[in-house]
Amino acid sequence: MMTDYPPFGAGLWHFASYVDRYATDGYAAPVSTLEQIARAGEVGDLTYVDVPYPFTDGVTIEQVKAALTQNGLQAVGVTPEIYMRRFRKGAFTNPDAAVRAQAGAVLNEAADVVRALDARYLKVWPGQDGWDYPFQVDHHQQWTLAVSGMRDLALANPDIKIVIEYKPREPRQKMFWDSAAKTALGIKAMGVENVGVLLDFGHALFGGESPAAAAQLLIDHDLLWAMDVNDNLRGWDDDMVVGTVHPVEVFEFFYTLKVNNWQGVWQLDQFPFREDTVEAARLSIRFLKGIHRALEELDIAALREAQSNEDALGAQRLVQDVLFSCLRSES
Amino acid sequence: MMTDYPPFGAGLWHFASYVDRYATDGYAAPVSTLEQIARAGEVGDLTYVDVPYPFTDGVTIEQVKAALTQNGLQAVGVTPEIYMRRFRKGAFTNPDAAVRAQAGAVLNEAADVVRALDARYLKVWPGQDGWDYPFQVDHHQQWTLAVSGMRDLALANPDIKIVIEYKPREPRQKMFWDSAAKTALGIKAMGVENVGVLLDFGHALFGGESPAAAAQLLIDHDLLWAMDVNDNLRGWDDDMVVGTVHPVEVFEFFYTLKVNNWQGVWQLDQFPFREDTVEAARLSIRFLKGIHRALEELDIAALREAQSNEDALGAQRLVQDVLFSCLRSES
Amino acid sequence: MMTDYPPFGAGLWHFASYVDRYATDGYAAPVSTLEQIARAGEVGDLTYVDVPYPFTDGVTIEQVKAALTQNGLQAVGVTPEIYMRRFRKGAFTNPDAAVRAQAGAVLNEAADVVRALDARYLKVWPGQDGWDYPFQVDHHQQWTLAVSGMRDLALANPDIKIVIEYKPREPRQKMFWDSAAKTALGIKAMGVENVGVLLDFGHALFGGESPAAAAQLLIDHDLLWAMDVNDNLRGWDDDMVVGTVHPVEVFEFFYTLKVNNWQGVWQLDQFPFREDTVEAARLSIRFLKGIHRALEELDIAALREAQSNEDALGAQRLVQDVLFSCLRSES
Amino acid sequence: MMTDYPPFGAGLWHFASYVDRYATDGYAAPVSTLEQIARAGEVGDLTYVDVPYPFTDGVTIEQVKAALTQNGLQAVGVTPEIYMRRFRKGAFTNPDAAVRAQAGAVLNEAADVVRALDARYLKVWPGQDGWDYPFQVDHHQQWTLAVSGMRDLALANPDIKIVIEYKPREPRQKMFWDSAAKTALGIKAMGVENVGVLLDFGHALFGGESPAAAAQLLIDHDLLWAMDVNDNLRGWDDDMVVGTVHPVEVFEFFYTLKVNNWQGVWQLDQFPFREDTVEAARLSIRFLKGIHRALEELDIAALREAQSNEDALGAQRLVQDVLFSCLRSES
């Protein structure tokens, strides 16, 4: 069987080290942007990376470009770090206008990096834009700031595509951009053409969405411009290796992309805190290739027929036939 | 202190008996529509009820009208029971066009009951419109059916207001109308003027929304046409007595209504499976009156000032001052 | 490959029809105990059934015995229905001593049915023994009643094995017997030898346990006497078809049983509300057979080596090799 | 009304600054152990602190003792930081025996600090002792290590009380010591007299326990030796300010302590990431004092009578009477 796999990608942070509120000395020694790129190159099947900005200390954009080229990688997106200390009460929605201006500056610098790296999009994840306590914010004002700030960014960078990555919560107890539907609603209110959505499989899953249904909703609004995958236990953004917990819903997610003829990068957003980061990517891609082969074998006409009757058992039988045999050539 | 309380209401089912998949003989003896109305009248503080349709066996609309009058009650809404056996795979989205037509017939009959009772709205809760298993449905097709069916209903009844009650799940594992944002998105796609939203506090809470934020979002889209309250443990639609678990968020919800000058019925949607149903309503209204008094005492200007700085502690201090003294005159 | 499958079983309710608080007319026409047995026989791979008691109206124990024989089935357990209306505030822990006595009578009658059917155990699931509201019960008193009542039952029936099926919640907001550890703690306090545990995979999963870890804990206390499987979305006891959502954790659960040399019936506890009940069982058993074959192919020595280093990726690679090829001969 | 408040305490980390995986530069500038003690002293109502060990760089035990005295504080416990990088795969259950020995060394040093500070207990929270992926660990082996390691620590320090703080998850996806019942089961297996439990209200809540029921279970086993409070949204260990979300269950928790005549420190375990840490403690204690007053006013005999009938509404009415008037003298 000839299989033409899609391009695979990963956030560069997949190859970094991590801290949390307990292991404040980090789960491993720090990894520079250039070392992260080198590790991404080691994986062997990666074509694209999403590049956080600013780079780690002292790294220049020329070095990043050279490292990408040397490792056979391209930038799919650039992610401005608008969730550090100074933005702890929000970037777009910070109560202090001066901090909002600082966020704007970082975002526009990141847009320049998109241009310099010839990336596909600026990825905006406003992780500190939300609230923690009942009564803490005026939801009308804050949502207005969230939407108008994004609109301003889009108008200031008409040559650049912007994707919003929504997430229900963390690091705030609640985030403003928290679901596919709310993000679509906000984008429609902007009246611009260069803002879309990056759907993170795990964010949808732990937010109680069906990732497949969320993808379909965004596709139906022409807003699904990027995606990434991982896995979790449905209660938190665990950013585990894709397929290790919820392979069936991963499969349904990619099925939805396929039947809509979605073209794009199959991207990883994982945090292998205690694992070898290169090996984590390899295991992920091995699984995604299996998913891709299973999709080629799936009897889609029969599945559609089952779906037209809400025949859950018939649909599952067809799905299990191919999903639970997709690694047979590997074993 | 003179307090002018809002009108209180309740779904008539609050005064019914219930079954579930275990106690199939019911938690109490059956209660007819007329008996439910009589019990609602006993509460003493209720002005409005939401009336399920069809009525229990043999009850006529004339009897219902008479019973309402006799008990000093008015119908705020009518709720068609489009979630019985024949609709188990959906009403608007049933795979069988004949069943969809049956649902349409029930809905239009219920619209006639709205007219006959001079109620404010037809409440549509399509509880069986959703799915249970991964791969069971084609989300594009189903969402299209869900939206277009509601639009047809609205166009066929231009003199009637329709409110959609969204809910994340139950009795299906997932429902199509599952959040404030998704419902707003669907209604905007209809291009009609007579469809709005009924926000159920508990549905928002167990769906991971902030009920206050969801209310504000709907108000900002002119779609919050009705609401009801209850409580739960955030994991399921427990339909417990309001305020028994999450009084702070109930208070924030009503605060949001007040500062937006929302006028409407403060309505109960509770299922007191093992409790005296009249007493459950009385305890609820006692608490809601306390909430109402606390809102009158709340220093809203100071709260707004705290919110303008995302000052969670300052906001909470103001809130606690009034919430935790709101029943002092009762004790 | 020669495969000697384990015996398969199912609760007879798998083949019944269901009601819930919305579809009060039931998801299908009622199915008598004898018809349920006939449907179980149709599945083709079932050897054991768990029999609810009382039987549906008019059915005698002789009829049940004959029907079981005729369909090639044996009773693995008997489940007394101590969760009907009269027990709505509890069976063992009902505040009314007269109701507790009624529950005792039903339980002892069910023990006689265990003897008559030569079943392996009396399965006790006290679904109404719990609470709904904060402050509703005195936890010391209620837990004492829960434990002492079970102890009395055990002492009154020393010739019978009793298994407690724990569950976090539903139909009560919280149940007393809610986890493997708490159930083990309660059983140890009884000081009897004939009480063990039935672990329901879905109950463990939606209660936040790892079903595999819960199984190991019970095995280490010699208390895992029975089990059943199904699937859910981790937030509720959805009783879906096993393997349709969480195949990896199902596999880990059966792996744990295998390495502990656990011998017993692989049993289904599913509620196919809207599905063909016979077909639901067949799809389940097809998957369980795949799991069984995968376990035979799994390189357990290599897996143990990976586990001895907490090597999550190495372990997953070995697991995926066999799990995602376990249906290859079927397709 | 004369009110004799209980002693209040807090973990010293309440007054620290925090990092997480996003704001890696920390939510505020670092705060040394001595500065933390000074801030604790500023609160005005604190008598006890729980002291993490090791202290921040360069701080000596003499300095800590002096600072405590100067600020009118005593150490209630000492918390060894056995969750830093080297323990990322576990302390007691680390696969590497050498790392387990390092953990043992830290724990024994911390026991010496308990002696030096004359604290009441060594608090052990083995946050990295758990697992992340299905199949990652052998649950039998790991639980054996978890229990035997704690037993060894207890035997090596017979003059010291040890309390285990259980938690369902974070930073591991699952922790071994994850519930009251499992912790009690493990402690009973140790056969020692100097190991008990610290119950964290928020851990119980987000683990799906009723904190009040968990407290009662531990009291009934003579194991509730310490506790701390906070609040969360039931899905994560948010460590929010106590009473801001779930005041009713906080009240039930303290009610349970009172009726069992539990004597001990009312302690805070909160992480005010974006808030003033001193003010967060003050708001917390203001609320706890309100709770304490409400408990004095509560008609306990009437409540017990309601509970003896599982009269949820009657119980709630009594509770609301005092809870929602407990701050009236403050406003």
Side-chain angles (χ1 to χ4, degrees), chain A residues 89 95 133-137 139-140 142 172 174 181-182 208 210 213 220 252 307-310 312 315-316 319, chain B residues 89 95 131 133-137 139-140 142 172 174 181-182 208 213 220 252 307-310 312 315-316 319:
Chain A
K89 285 196 170 181
Y133 284 87
F135 285 99
Q136 185 174 6
V137 299
H139 288 286
H140 172 76
Q142 294 297 93
R172 300 307 290 261
K174 299 276 184 186
K182 194 169 176 200
S210 154
D220 288 342
E252 190 190 20
Q307 289 181 336
S308 73
N309 296 311
E310 289 195 21
Q316 280 285 331
V319 163
Chain B
K89 286 195 170 183
W131 72 97
Y133 283 87
F135 285 100
Q136 184 174 6
V137 299
H139 288 285
H140 172 76
Q142 294 297 95
R172 300 307 288 260
K174 300 273 186 188
K182 194 169 177 199
D220 288 342
E252 190 190 19
Q307 289 180 336
S308 73
N309 296 310
E310 288 194 23
Q316 281 285 330
V319 164

Side-chain angles (χ1 to χ4, degrees), chain A residues 217-259:
Chain A
L217 185 78
L218 292 171
I219 287 170
D220 288 342
H221 287 84
D222 291 325
L223 289 175
L224 187 68
W225 296 2
M227 59 84 174
D228 48 41
V229 291
N230 41 53
D231 214 330
N232 62 49
L233 301 181
R234 290 179 202 264
W236 193 251
D237 185 32
D238 301 315
D239 282 330
M240 296 164 75
V241 169
V242 61
T244 54
V245 188
H246 295 109
V248 182
E249 281 142 305
V250 172
F251 191 39
E252 190 190 20
F253 176 70
F254 283 109
Y255 166 78
T256 302
L257 299 188
K258 180 186 176 104
V259 295

Side-chain angles (χ1 to χ4, degrees), chain A residues 25-98:
Chain A
D25 57 345
Y27 282 82
V31 186
S32 76
T33 299
L34 300 180
E35 290 167 317
Q36 292 171 25
I37 295 172
R39 288 189 187 179
E42 273 181 60
V43 174
D45 275 307
L46 285 181
T47 313
Y48 288 97
V49 289
D50 183 317
V51 183
Y53 175 81
F55 314 129
T56 56
D57 274 1
V59 173
T60 68
I61 193 148
E62 286 72 29
Q63 290 175 306
V64 168
K65 288 169 79 165
L68 290 173
T69 303
Q70 189 178 342
N71 285 281
L73 297 169
Q74 293 168 258
V76 62
V78 173
T79 298
E81 293 185 327
I82 50 171
Y83 35 74
M84 305 301 278
R85 186 192 299 178
R86 59 179 168 163
F87 302 120
R88 68 188 179 279
K89 285 196 170 181
F92 295 88
T93 62
N94 198 290
D96 183 342

